[in-house]
Amino acid sequence: KQVLRTSIKNLRDAKQKIQRTLSKFTQPLSKYAQNFPSSPLRCEVISWLYKAQASLQVSRSTLFISLCTLDKLLFKGFPSPIEFELVAGTILLIATKFNEVYPVTIKKLNLLSQKKFSLEYYSEAEGAMLYNIDFTVELDVIYEELLGHEMRNASDNRD
């Protein structure tokens, strides 16, 4: 039970950290809504994503998930400062984690980009983007899974 409480506390702490860094990575919609869907930033990100898809040979569905994520971000708020390669790379990272067997590596993302970004910077941008598009994992579901796993382990140990 202590492990479960610690895990839940760690999840809550992570959520609070994302909320604190969110202000650093978010600008209001009004800056981008005027030119959507033909904004120069959107066009640059889409172009980068198409080139990355061809270079990395990720599936077309991963590309389309990336484009959908981009559009959600445009409506909800966008990362700041605007580094289109960081935005595009982070979106591709999110999509490959969801849709590919192995996610794209930071090393490969940096090879595709003129500017290099650290793992920490990608992680912060990813957290802020997922928060902006209301990506959630319910703590109750995690707690039930962890509790169920612990109970199964306890019964296995008794046998």
Side-chain angles (χ1 to χ4, degrees):
K1 288 184 179 182
Q2 182 62 32
V3 172
L4 291 175
R5 287 186 187 111
T6 303
S7 297
I8 291 171
K9 183 185 180 314
N10 290 341
L11 288 171
R12 287 187 179 127
D13 290 345
K15 182 179 178 181
Q16 289 173 352
K17 181 181 178 186
I18 289 171
Q19 290 172 335
R20 283 192 304 268
T21 59
L22 186 60
S23 61
K24 178 170 73 169
F25 283 94
T26 306
Q27 290 184 0
L29 168 67
S30 60
K31 260 189 139 173
Y32 307 100
Q34 298 168 352
N35 297 323
F36 184 83
S38 61
S39 72
L41 177 67
R42 184 176 188 269
C43 294
E44 285 181 303
V45 171
I46 289 173
S47 176
W48 191 96
L49 287 170
Y50 269 96
K51 289 175 187 171
Q53 189 263 337
S55 175
L56 299 172
Q57 298 180 341
V58 296
S59 68
R60 297 283 284 182
S61 59
T62 298
L63 174 66
F64 296 135
I65 291 168
S66 299
L67 297 174
C68 179
T69 304
L70 171 63
D71 289 341
K72 284 182 179 183
L73 284 166
L74 284 168
F75 282 111
K76 292 278 189 166
F78 219 85
S80 170
I82 303 287
E83 296 279 353
F84 87 89
E85 291 177 325
L86 175 64
V87 172
T90 304
I91 289 171
L92 186 61
L93 182 63
I94 292 167
T96 58
K97 284 180 179 179
F98 177 76
N99 201 52
E100 299 290 325
V101 175
Y102 298 104
V104 66
T105 63
I106 303 303
K107 183 178 178 179
K108 287 181 181 178
L109 291 175
N110 280 329
L111 288 174
L112 293 169
S113 303
Q114 292 179 2
K115 187 171 180 181
K116 308 302 180 220
F117 301 99
S118 68
L119 172 62
E120 183 178 284
Y121 209 66
Y122 271 112
S123 295
E124 286 182 359
E126 180 183 28
M129 286 181 187
L130 290 173
Y131 185 82
N132 280 358
I133 61 173
D134 299 323
F135 179 86
T136 59
V137 177
E138 297 299 322
L139 291 178
D140 294 341
V141 174
I142 294 171
Y143 179 75
E144 288 174 17
E145 277 297 312
L146 291 171
L147 186 60
H149 179 71
E150 186 148 319
M151 293 174 87
R152 285 189 297 275
N153 284 344
S155 69
D156 289 345
N157 290 337
R158 280 186 255 154
D159 296 337

